Amino acid sequence: FKEDNEIVHEAIKTDGWALQFVGNKFFKDPEFLFLAVKYHGYAFELLPKKYKKDKTFIEKCIKKHSYILRFIEPKLRLNYLFLEKLVKINGYCLKYIPNEFKDDVNLAFLAVKQNGLSICFVEGDLRKNKEIIIEAIKQNRESYDFVDNAIKLHKDVSAAFMQYSMI
């Protein structure tokens, strides 16, 4: 059964962990592996190493599942330019970036620009950065709910909320 296309595709749709039981031919098929990850992001963890360092494949998968960032090749996780690209694709990647980048203004700004709700994953002093907060509100006014109450009182932040609430 593990070589039967129809059975394997149905199994993967149902449970991404089924990937560990499929035949070898499926691990040579990037489209099949993409489907497995698309259905169940955690299937990325089971992929051969070559896919965990394939930037194009990762970019395609990260659109739907930001948490696969935890499982990519360690060198890529430390590649600033690649991280920049990933947060532009899916702002929620900010949650999974390595600690050494958690206080990076640019990555935080790009993340909230892509998805305002990624403001939840902005850490430290960046949570008080008005430009980041305003950009988050501009992208998704619901991000205002995650802003510190003291910052909400700032005239620029409250003005942005009012402006983008009218849209």
Side-chain angles (χ1 to χ4, degrees):
F1 293 115
K2 66 184 193 174
E3 298 292 335
D4 183 285
N5 283 342
E6 193 173 319
I7 292 172
V8 167
H9 276 81
E10 286 304 312
I12 292 301
K13 283 182 189 176
T14 305
D15 183 0
W17 289 115
L19 187 60
Q20 62 190 317
F21 303 111
V22 304
N24 288 335
K25 76 176 186 176
F26 293 102
F27 285 97
K28 296 174 183 149
D29 180 355
E31 284 308 308
F32 169 78
L33 295 174
F34 171 72
L35 279 177
V37 173
K38 183 179 173 186
Y39 292 134
H40 302 280
Y42 51 83
F44 190 89
E45 193 175 356
L46 301 172
L47 298 184
K49 194 172 186 171
K50 85 178 211 177
Y51 294 101
K52 293 179 182 181
K53 57 184 175 182
D54 180 331
K55 289 181 180 181
T56 305
F57 187 81
I58 294 166
E59 289 168 19
K60 192 174 172 184
C61 293
I62 209 89
K63 287 178 186 175
K64 184 163 169 122
H65 302 290
S66 60
Y67 56 86
I68 69 163
L69 182 55
R70 296 179 303 171
F71 306 115
I72 70 172
E73 179 72 24
K75 283 184 184 177
L76 281 180
R77 289 194 73 214
L78 296 173
N79 180 325
Y80 183 84
L81 295 176
F82 189 57
L83 290 176
E84 207 174 40
K85 196 169 192 178
L86 295 181
V87 297
K88 286 180 183 177
I89 294 169
N90 186 336
Y92 283 167
C93 286
L94 194 61
K95 180 177 181 179
Y96 303 105
I97 63 172
N99 289 335
E100 46 270 61
F101 300 112
K102 293 283 187 188
D103 62 350
D104 187 271
V105 176
N106 182 50
L107 290 176
F109 185 84
L110 291 171
V112 300
K113 186 174 184 171
Q114 193 282 323
N115 184 332
L117 294 177
S118 62
I119 191 79
C120 298
F121 309 118
V122 173
E123 294 186 4
D125 289 341
L126 295 180
R127 294 211 37 104
K128 297 175 184 166
N129 182 305
K130 287 182 289 239
E131 288 78 25
I132 291 173
I133 292 167
I134 291 169
E135 189 62 33
I137 294 167
K138 182 177 170 183
Q139 200 286 322
N140 184 330
R141 72 175 196 84
E142 291 179 19
S143 63
Y144 184 78
D145 295 341
F146 301 99
V147 174
D148 183 270
N149 287 334
I151 303 295
K152 286 179 181 179
L153 298 174
H154 191 279
K155 65 179 180 163
D156 293 340
V157 173
S158 56
F161 178 70
M162 295 305 291
Q163 178 184 353
Y164 295 109
S165 292
M166 303 294 180
I167 297 175

